[in-house]
Amino acid sequence: ILSQAPPRSLRYPSWAGPLLARAPASGTPATMSNLVGLLVPAGLLSLAIFMHILACAMYNNWWPLMSLLLYALMLLPLAALARQSESLFDSAATGFHWAIFLLASLVTLVIGVPIVMWHVDVIESGSVFFNLSGFVLLLATGASAALFGEKQSDGWG
């Protein structure tokens, strides 16, 4: 009786959801790849936010946190892009093109605002380095989330 595997309902807690409960046909649980797909983007995102806070705390100047406000504003065009199902080259997709334009403008602001603040001596050059490295980590977060999301063919749930 001990050599048999426990029923599926006992192997995973009920709160773990379908993400952890999926297992491939080989019989080995797929929890490690699913957890890596969740933990890598989450770790990169928390490290990016930490870099922004470090840019402020090391130099006792909290102006570099303005870039976090720009990150929050970047979510609005991304949400509009996610709702569009039209092609990029469709002539009726004007909202899609405006969302791409706003997103590109906000990305340019995220890079440019810390450099301009350094140029007018509002923040130190180290703050600019930490701020831009946090932005690079945020880009790595998006890339890793897209990479791990692409590996899962049946989606998140």
Side-chain angles (χ1 to χ4, degrees):
I1 195 165
L2 294 177
S3 65
Q4 296 176 353
R8 190 174 188 91
S9 62
L10 294 178
R11 281 189 276 173
Y12 301 102
S14 61
W15 51 265
L19 186 65
L20 293 178
R22 275 181 277 186
S26 66
T28 60
T31 58
M32 192 63 181
S33 65
N34 289 339
L35 284 177
V36 168
L38 287 174
L39 291 178
V40 168
L44 286 173
L45 180 65
S46 61
L47 192 60
I49 293 173
F50 175 72
M51 292 297 274
H52 287 290
I53 293 173
L54 192 63
C56 299
M58 282 186 66
Y59 300 99
N60 199 19
N61 187 352
W62 296 95
W63 279 105
L65 276 184
M66 187 183 299
S67 61
L68 292 180
L69 174 68
L70 294 172
Y71 291 158
L73 288 176
M74 269 198 294
L75 295 176
L76 297 174
L78 283 174
L81 282 173
R83 293 183 55 95
Q84 293 288 329
S85 63
E86 298 149 346
S87 170
L88 177 63
F89 301 108
D90 189 12
S91 62
T94 56
F96 186 76
H97 294 296
W98 275 107
I100 289 176
F101 172 74
L102 287 174
L103 183 63
S105 301
L106 289 171
V107 168
T108 305
L109 279 174
V110 165
I111 295 171
V113 166
I115 294 172
V116 169
M117 284 195 291
W118 169 72
H119 185 71
V120 296
D121 292 329
V122 174
I123 63 175
E124 301 288 328
S125 60
S127 279
V128 174
F129 171 73
F130 283 120
N131 211 338
L132 293 179
S133 62
F135 177 66
V136 168
L137 284 171
L138 186 73
L139 291 178
T141 301
S144 66
L147 176 73
F148 288 120
E150 184 178 287
K151 285 183 179 178
Q152 294 179 352
S153 61
D154 54 351
W156 288 94

